[in-house]
């Protein structure tokens, strides 16, 4: 079956760096996506990886290794507003998104 | 302002009642989706539509129906609501075969 695994919850300190991991097993691969979802709000798109390597976008970076079925989202210079859930999703061979349950990130002062 | 809107934002419904959640987008996206989100679970796809006039079943379609009469609108209907359909429902749209989805603000549905 298809499966996306990511930690349920993580805690980090304001100003620090945090890495949120995601492993996947899917029927085919057409890209890996990260979304941010603040409590009570809709998910919003953060990043997209289809080739191996690191994609950097400001304080956020996303890494992909297709051979390992692994990705991570790296958040630098953490701010209180980064407290949110981070959703990992993989697009399978049918171009359908398979979603992880999300990682709730708690930022402490 | 371009975007995707859902209605109602919140609804309490008696079991057995019929309910339609509305979704409208003005971005001219050809693909639209309905998800439900429950605590501890990932977003689960209920139904989708790749283009006007076509629809498909997702992971959890039972008890739900959709229609796509035009590009902009994608309503979700619960024919006879049951308590297990208590959830937050998100409508989303995208260009076809891309994973950058634009989500509506969500509809919180409680079935008693």
């Amino acid at each position: 079956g298809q499966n996306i695994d990511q930690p349920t919850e993580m805690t980090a300190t304001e100003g620090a760096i945090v890495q949120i991991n995601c492993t996947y097993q899917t029927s085919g691969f057409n890209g890996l996506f990260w979304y941010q979802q603040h409590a009570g709000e809709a998910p919003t798109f953060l990043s997209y990886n289809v080739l191996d390597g690191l994609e950097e976008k400001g304080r956020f970076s996303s890494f992909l290794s297709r051979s390992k079925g692994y990705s991570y989202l790296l958040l630098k210079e953490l701010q209180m507003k980064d407290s949110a859930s981070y959703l990992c999703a993989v697009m399978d061979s049918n171009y359908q998104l398979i979603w992880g349950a999300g990682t709730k990130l708690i930022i402490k002062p | 302002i371009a975007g995707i809107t859902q209605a109602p934002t919140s609804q309490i419904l008696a079991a057995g009642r019929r309910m339609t959640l509305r979704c409208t987008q003005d971005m001219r996206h050809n693909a639209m989706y309905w998800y439900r989100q429950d605590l501890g679970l990932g977003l689960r796809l209920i139904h989708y539509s790749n283009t006007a006039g076509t629809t498909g079943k997702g992971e959890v379609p039972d008890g739900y129906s959709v229609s796509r009469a035009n590009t902009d609108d994608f309503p979700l209907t619960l024919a006879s609501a049951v308590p297990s359909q208590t959830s937050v429902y998100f409508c989303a749209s995208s260009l076809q075969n891309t994973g950058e989805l634009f989500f509506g603000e969500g509809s919180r549905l409680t079935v008693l």
Side-chain angles (χ1 to χ4, degrees), chain B residues 16-32:
Chain B
R17 296 299 295 269
R18 181 183 179 90
M19 177 72 195
T20 295
L21 304 180
R22 301 182 298 279
C23 177
T24 299
Q25 54 103 0
D26 61 3
M27 296 176 283
R28 309 306 293 172
H29 286 164
N30 41 15
M32 296 188 75

Side-chain angles (χ1 to χ4, degrees), chain B residues 11-19 78 80-82 109-112:
Chain B
Q11 183 76 45
I12 299 174
L13 188 65
R17 296 299 295 269
R18 181 183 179 90
M19 177 72 195
L78 289 68
S80 179
V82 296
L109 185 66
T110 302
V111 183
L112 301 176

Side-chain angles (χ1 to χ4, degrees), chain B residues 20-75:
Chain B
T20 295
L21 304 180
R22 301 182 298 279
C23 177
T24 299
Q25 54 103 0
D26 61 3
M27 296 176 283
R28 309 306 293 172
H29 286 164
N30 41 15
M32 296 188 75
Y33 315 86
W34 273 106
Y35 288 96
R36 61 178 289 173
Q37 188 174 41
D38 302 288
L39 198 63
L41 300 176
L43 288 163
R44 293 186 291 170
L45 183 65
I46 304 170
H47 285 287
Y48 66 93
S49 169
N50 285 331
T51 190
T54 69
T55 62
K57 293 182 179 180
E59 179 186 356
V60 289
D62 293 345
Y64 305 95
S65 63
V66 292
S67 61
R68 187 87 183 276
N70 56 60
T71 298
D72 299 345
D73 302 301
F74 191 45

Side-chain angles (χ1 to χ4, degrees), chain A residues 12-72:
Chain A
T13 304
E14 189 177 16
I17 299 173
V18 71
Q19 177 176 310
I20 302 173
N21 295 326
C22 171
T23 58
Y24 63 89
Q25 287 181 304
T26 57
S27 303
F29 180 85
N30 280 301
L32 187 139
F33 302 81
W34 286 96
Y35 281 75
Q36 181 188 60
Q37 185 177 24
H38 286 102
E41 299 183 6
T44 56
F45 171 79
L46 280 179
S47 69
Y48 164 61
N49 295 70
V50 68
L51 299 176
D52 289 353
L54 190 68
E55 294 283 342
E56 297 185 78
K57 191 185 293 185
R59 294 187 299 112
F60 292 8
S61 303
S62 56
F63 172 84
L64 174 67
S65 168
R66 288 172 297 171
S67 62
K68 295 182 179 178
Y70 168 72
S71 172
Y72 66 73

